[in-house]
Amino acid sequence: RVPRWFLDDENIRDDIEVQQKKIEHYMALSDKPQVKAMIKAPDDLTDKRDPFKVELKLSEAIAIIQKNERGRMGINKADMIADWKRGAQRKEEKAKRKEEKGDDGHDDHAQQVFSATRIAAHWKRRCDRKRFLRMRDEEFQFLGMSPPPPPAIDQISFATETRASRKKAQLDASQAYKDAMYEEKSWLAKNEGPDMKAELLEHYRQGILKRYEETLEFPENLDDFRTPDQPAEEAPPEAAAKDAKGKDGKKDEKEAPGAEKRVGTFDDQSESKVVTLQKHVNQYTNRWEGRDETTNFDQKHDRGMLSETMRPLVQHDVWREVDSLMREE
């Protein structure tokens, strides 16, 4: 299964979908039973076991029920006997107080104080018991001995709503970046484009006049007058590989006959990967290493960095326009 983050990426989403279709097609053509099972029932990473299913025989289940029932009956009987004893004890204490005070020695104030004290003691006992039970539940939950309390909100729906809001913010930021790229390119083409065009035309014309003074002929190919920053036509991959192979062959010929062959050297492909990696490292060092992004919580684009990104595109458009103009002249 491909992670959802990759499927949300606009640049690689189509390629991943094509690869998934190919994999499903080839898996359908396979004759292995394991592959067939994967196609019919893909694993959704959930536990299919029933948490309430217990592998017990009928006799074992009956024995467990009988044991729990005997224990419940014993507890109820013990509570009933304790209530009887507490009732008998209260009756004895009440009769004893009546004998001590006599029939005419009843004190209302003392009885009120005694009742208030008993009520306060029972209330305090109830509060302490509730606090103790709460502490016990928290301790059991911390140790994993009891399940946590049900959440006040549905976490799945909350996560879905959060992801939808973040996805909307991501799409809005992406659209804002695209609009800023178009505006910045238009601004550069309007303000810096004419200066680039004038400088490049002057460079071409000076080079053509200098060549005409030397040879009394106008050059047919304008590639000789390109600026150092202007991209030149790249050689085809086959020719580049052939040149690299020829250079390596010449180097091998220059080696001494008895010299040992080097082992563990990088090939051309590995060397190109190292160069690309070094390029990205230098780009990070120059652009991001010393940059403070603590105040940019929304990760909005920077105008200066956007100008650096779009200026080569504007220069390329100007170069193409100037090339066409000079070829017409």
Side-chain angles (χ1 to χ4, degrees):
R1 295 173 64 88
V2 180
R4 186 173 56 190
W5 184 85
F6 293 100
L7 296 177
D8 292 342
D9 193 348
E10 298 179 357
N11 299 325
I12 61 176
R13 178 172 53 194
D14 297 336
D15 297 337
I16 291 178
E17 289 181 356
V18 172
Q19 292 178 4
Q20 280 184 326
K21 295 296 182 182
K22 289 181 180 179
I23 292 173
E24 292 176 359
H25 173 71
Y26 289 122
M27 288 175 66
L29 297 178
S30 178
D31 297 332
K32 295 183 178 180
Q34 297 85 353
V35 179
K36 295 291 184 180
M38 291 174 61
I39 296 175
K40 293 180 181 179
D43 187 10
D44 55 356
L45 304 180
T46 56
D47 192 0
K48 305 297 190 303
R49 295 177 298 179
D50 187 3
F52 299 101
K53 184 178 181 181
V54 181
E55 299 293 340
L56 288 176
K57 297 180 181 180
L58 181 60
S59 58
E60 296 176 352
I62 293 174
I64 293 174
I65 294 174
Q66 289 177 348
K67 182 178 180 181
N68 291 333
E69 186 65 20
R70 292 193 189 100
R72 185 186 66 81
M73 293 174 62
I75 292 173
N76 291 337
K77 188 175 181 180
D79 291 339
M80 183 175 61
I81 294 174
D83 292 338
W84 290 348
K85 290 182 178 181
R86 283 194 295 268
Q89 188 177 1
R90 284 197 294 268
K91 289 180 180 179
E92 292 178 358
E93 291 178 356
K94 187 175 181 181
K96 187 176 180 180
R97 286 197 300 270
K98 285 184 178 181
E99 291 177 357
E100 292 177 355
K101 293 180 181 179
D103 296 335
D104 298 333
H106 185 68
D107 191 359
D108 294 337
H109 180 70
Q111 186 67 25
Q112 292 178 359
V113 172
F114 176 76
S115 300
T117 305
R118 293 292 298 270
I119 293 172
H122 281 287
W123 179 255
K124 184 178 180 181
R125 176 180 177 275
R126 183 175 182 275
C127 294
D128 292 341
R129 180 175 175 78
K130 288 180 65 176
R131 184 170 63 254
F132 169 75
L133 293 176
R134 184 173 63 253
M135 292 173 60
R136 186 192 65 178
D137 293 340
E138 292 176 356
E139 185 71 16
F140 283 173
Q141 292 173 13
F142 177 75
L143 297 175
M145 298 174 63
S146 64
I153 58 176
D154 188 4
Q155 296 294 336
I156 297 177
S157 61
F158 179 72
T160 304
E161 294 175 0
T162 303
R163 182 178 182 276
S165 62
R166 290 178 179 177
K167 180 58 64 176
K168 184 179 182 301
Q170 182 182 4
L171 294 176
D172 294 342
S174 178
Q175 186 63 35
Y177 181 69
K178 292 179 181 178
D179 296 340
M181 288 175 64
Y182 177 77
E183 294 176 359
E184 188 67 22
K185 185 177 180 180
S186 303
W187 187 89
L188 290 173
K190 181 179 179 180
N191 293 275
E192 299 183 9
D195 296 338
M196 296 179 186
K197 184 177 179 181
E199 292 178 1
L200 196 58
L201 284 173
E202 183 66 21
H203 175 76
Y204 269 111
R205 288 166 180 166
Q206 292 294 333
I208 291 172
L209 291 176
K210 186 176 180 181
R211 179 69 62 83
Y212 181 77
E213 291 176 357
E214 295 176 354
T215 60
L216 299 178
E217 292 180 359
F218 288 103
E220 298 180 358
N221 190 6
L222 298 178
D223 295 338
D224 299 336
F225 305 102
R226 292 181 180 270
T227 59
D229 297 334
Q230 193 172 357
E233 297 181 358
E234 297 181 356
E238 294 81 2
K242 185 176 180 181
D243 295 340
K245 184 176 180 182
K247 293 178 182 179
D248 294 341
K250 292 180 181 178
K251 290 181 180 179
D252 293 340
E253 291 177 358
K254 292 180 181 179
E255 292 179 357
E260 295 182 358
K261 188 176 181 179
R262 293 181 298 173
V263 180
T265 58
F266 287 112
D267 54 359
D268 295 338
Q269 187 176 5
S270 301
E271 187 176 357
S272 63
K273 292 180 180 179
V274 172
V275 172
T276 304
L277 181 61
Q278 185 63 33
K279 179 182 177 182
H280 288 296
V281 170
N282 294 335
Q283 181 180 3
Y284 168 78
T285 303
N286 298 330
R287 179 174 293 185
W288 296 104
E289 188 172 11
R291 190 176 183 84
D292 186 12
E293 291 287 319
T294 55
T295 58
N296 189 12
F297 181 76
D298 296 332
Q299 291 295 298
K300 295 182 179 179
H301 61 274
D302 183 74
R303 178 78 182 274
M305 295 178 62
L306 191 60
S307 299
E308 295 177 2
T309 305
M310 301 307 297
R311 188 172 283 107
L313 300 178
V314 176
Q315 290 177 351
H316 184 69
D317 295 340
V318 172
W319 288 334
R320 292 177 58 186
E321 183 180 358
V322 171
D323 282 346
S324 61
L325 290 175
M326 293 306 301
R327 293 183 189 281
E328 292 177 359
E329 291 183 5

